Amino acid sequence: MGSMHYLAVGLGILFTVSGLLKIAPIQPAHSHLVSKFGSYAKVFPLKVIGFQVAADMYRSLVGFAEIAFGSVLAFGRHDWRSISCISLFVIMVGAVQTHLAIGDQIAEMFPALILGGLLLLLLLHRNGLWGKAHLD
């Protein structure tokens, strides 16, 4: 087990906890996320095609996705970890797009940028999920 395995487990646990904070009423993080997702729902990425969700539904969907994909990334089989990593990367791209759309400072989107970069590293590194070491 190399460093990429430990990175996958660490990121998976981090995303699982992040998803739990979005769903479970653990204060003060939950109330902060509830207020933030109110503004995030106004710039929902699929709004351009006419698909709009309520802020609570948006927060819950992102939370459940982070719990599910984070758990699989931390403790799942290798092929499922790849799918989970790609899914979490898409969520992080959506998070950055949301922050850009509402005009947040770079400090607000910094966690999504760092986590997205780590997920990309996990996917593309030689010893990562899609690396040459696993394809041989």
Side-chain angles (χ1 to χ4, degrees), residues 7 13 18-19 27-28 49 77-78 82 89 92 101 105 116 126 133:
L7 179 62
I13 291 171
S18 174
Q27 299 300 337
I49 60 171
R77 291 180 26 182
H78 177 75
S82 298
F89 180 74
M92 291 300 99
Q105 299 287 328
R126 177 177 174 8

Side-chain angles (χ1 to χ4, degrees), residues 34-56:
V34 167
S35 66
K36 285 297 215 178
F37 268 87
S39 61
Y40 297 164
K42 294 175 187 167
V43 294
F44 184 66
L46 299 178
K47 189 176 182 179
V48 295
I49 60 171
F51 187 73
Q52 182 65 28
V53 296
D56 287 338

Side-chain angles (χ1 to χ4, degrees), residues 19-113:
L20 283 172
L21 289 175
K22 289 177 178 70
I23 294 172
I26 301 169
Q27 299 300 337
H30 183 75
S31 57
H32 174 72
L33 288 168
V34 167
S35 66
K36 285 297 215 178
F37 268 87
S39 61
Y40 297 164
K42 294 175 187 167
V43 294
F44 184 66
L46 299 178
K47 189 176 182 179
V48 295
I49 60 171
F51 187 73
Q52 182 65 28
V53 296
D56 287 338
M57 179 63 75
Y58 189 25
R59 180 179 42 80
S60 297
L61 288 174
V62 171
F64 279 121
E66 285 180 351
I67 291 169
F69 293 129
S71 299
V72 171
L73 184 62
F75 307 113
R77 291 180 26 182
H78 177 75
D79 49 346
W80 287 96
R81 279 183 165 185
S82 298
I83 294 167
S84 174
C85 193
I86 292 168
S87 302
L88 289 168
F89 180 74
V90 169
I91 291 172
M92 291 300 99
V93 169
V96 170
Q97 182 273 334
T98 299
H99 286 296
L100 288 172
I102 61 175
D104 278 345
Q105 299 287 328
I106 192 80
E108 289 283 326
M109 64 183 92
F110 197 67
L113 289 170

